[in-house]
Amino acid sequence: MFEVKFKRYYCLVISVLTASAECQRESSLPLSKDSFQQIQRIFMPTPRGRKAELSDIRINYYRDSVRNHSYYRIQDAVSLLSDPTFERQKPTVIYVHGYVEVTSDESGATLVQAYITNGGFNILFLDWSNLAFGDYISVLFNIKPVGHEVGRAILRLLKQGLNIQGLHMVGHSMGAHVAAVAARLMKARGYTVPRLTALDAAHPGFYPPIQTVPINSKDADFVDVIHTDGGWFGASASIGHADFWPNDGMAKQPGCLPFTLPLTFENFCNHWRSWQYWAESVNGGNFVARKCDNYDDFLRGNCYGTAYMGLAAAPELRGNYYLRTAAQEPFALGERGAV
């Protein structure tokens, strides 16, 4: 029996990597040419053309389209303030990607486009992919130095006129912890980030922490968190001022498959729902949630009131909030999602 199962698994991998017709006939799992992309990146030291050095961290500045952007090396970040399209007094969002991700991935492109459509922000994308590739443990030890380098760069921007009142840091997975380290350093230097958002903050290696203190409510004036894969790739405990738990905050999120091959593109569906929900909220998606003690109370209607998950979340919110979502876009159900 083991040999039969192993042969089927091997055939599934081969069918994607070699397009073997024989194996494809046996394949029953949903796989695509992108299924093993994340696994391949684990065995790559850096993206092509990048160096595993702090000096090669970059900040991308997006203007009116995903393609219309400039990048600045982290130590020269203040140069972006000289761009005539950059409005210093306008709210600025800084998005930080996760493990083995690059700026051109669907997550980055979707979020950038959402903010471009919104039109209310300077859009900065922290590209630390040069230190986010390779084995997971090694990348864990990069979080603190990367976060410190980023924090120092943002401090230079603030001292040159960037408006801290409109600063919003958003991090997905490991990126949430990078953003937290940066915000922590800034706070120690007298600049407290007004809002820090975690999109399914990474769980492995942070709870309990191996090397870096994970994101927490002390890192900014308002820390809001969206949980979608709690206990697996994402954190399973309340870690912010306001923690949102769509569909109980764990797998399986509506529309995600109940069974997938580990670490394949499809396997990250629940984890990636967090940035999909966030992007939709930036575009005006109405995610109404209820403050409850737990998901069972939510299902029974034993809750205290409503709040909005996503960009519209109010900074005075405190506690745990639950809601339901649709299985496909648009995910927001409005008031129906809170009952």
Side-chain angles (χ1 to χ4, degrees), residues 25-334:
R25 284 196 295 270
E26 293 187 24
S27 175
S28 60
L29 287 174
L31 294 171
S32 70
K33 62 182 179 61
D34 296 322
S35 292
F36 298 94
Q37 175 180 272
Q38 307 302 103
I39 297 175
Q40 291 171 340
R41 290 177 178 179
I42 292 172
F43 295 99
M44 296 172 60
T46 63
R48 184 176 299 176
R50 300 295 296 276
K51 297 179 180 179
E53 301 171 357
L54 291 173
S55 61
D56 197 29
I57 299 172
R58 303 173 180 181
I59 291 182
N60 286 11
Y61 167 50
Y62 290 83
R63 299 179 185 86
D64 56 358
S65 75
V66 174
R67 292 186 177 181
N68 185 11
H69 69 274
S70 301
Y71 81 80
Y72 302 84
R73 294 189 187 278
I74 195 70
Q75 294 176 343
D76 192 37
V78 293
S79 295
L80 72 87
L81 297 177
S82 300
D83 190 300
T85 65
F86 191 93
E87 302 177 46
R88 299 189 185 199
Q89 296 308 309
K90 190 176 185 178
T92 298
V93 60
I94 301 177
Y95 176 69
V96 188
H97 66 75
Y99 176 57
V100 295
E101 288 191 309
V102 296
T103 57
S104 59
D105 284 342
E106 182 185 1
S107 55
T110 299
L111 285 160
V112 168
Q113 185 56 57
Y115 277 102
I116 290 172
T117 301
N118 179 289
F121 296 83
N122 295 313
I123 308 164
L124 303 182
F125 193 133
L126 179 72
D127 178 4
W128 65 290
S129 57
N130 62 311
L131 291 165
F133 271 43
D135 70 272
Y136 192 86
I137 298 299
S138 294
V139 177
L140 278 177
F141 284 86
N142 290 337
I143 298 298
K144 185 176 289 185
V146 169
H148 285 166
E149 193 70 18
V150 172
R152 286 189 285 266
I154 299 175
L155 281 173
R156 292 194 293 272
L157 288 169
L158 293 171
K159 291 175 180 178
Q160 291 297 319
L162 182 68
N163 180 19
I164 191 171
Q165 297 305 317
L167 182 61
H168 183 186
M169 300 186 72
V170 181
H172 172 245
S173 192
M174 266 193 177
H177 301 297
V178 171
V181 172
R184 212 168 289 150
L185 180 142
M186 294 163 61
K187 188 174 183 179
R189 305 286 176 83
Y191 293 84
T192 301
V193 173
R195 184 174 181 183
L196 173 59
T197 297
L199 306 179
D200 213 36
H203 176 270
F206 295 97
Y207 304 96
I210 289 179
Q211 198 260 354
T212 304
V213 175
I215 186 172
N216 61 77
S217 60
K218 298 178 181 178
D219 294 327
D221 285 336
F222 178 50
V223 178
D224 59 317
V225 185
I226 295 179
H227 300 265
T228 56
D229 196 22
W232 292 96
F233 294 123
S236 59
S238 301
I239 55 178
H241 292 111
D243 288 75
F244 292 88
W245 306 85
N247 313 297
D248 202 18
M250 58 185 67
K252 146 181 172 324
Q253 291 290 312
C256 292
L257 298 170
F259 178 74
T260 57
L261 292 177
L263 300 180
T264 57
F265 189 90
E266 294 75 19
N267 187 232
F268 287 97
C269 179
N270 300 289
H271 192 41
W272 289 347
R273 275 290 191 262
S274 58
W275 58 257
Q276 291 174 322
Y277 296 158
W278 182 262
E280 189 172 315
S281 79
V282 172
N283 275 332
N286 193 18
F287 291 91
V288 181
R290 288 193 178 275
K291 184 176 183 179
C292 312
D293 292 331
N294 52 61
Y295 195 58
D296 285 340
D297 281 350
F298 171 76
L299 295 176
R300 296 189 183 99
N302 298 328
C303 301
Y304 313 115
T306 59
Y308 292 103
M309 179 184 80
L311 184 62
E316 65 270 14
L317 294 177
R318 297 293 183 272
N320 293 290
Y321 299 83
Y322 295 83
L323 68 154
R324 293 183 300 106
T325 68
Q328 59 187 7
E329 295 182 90
F331 295 109
L333 295 173

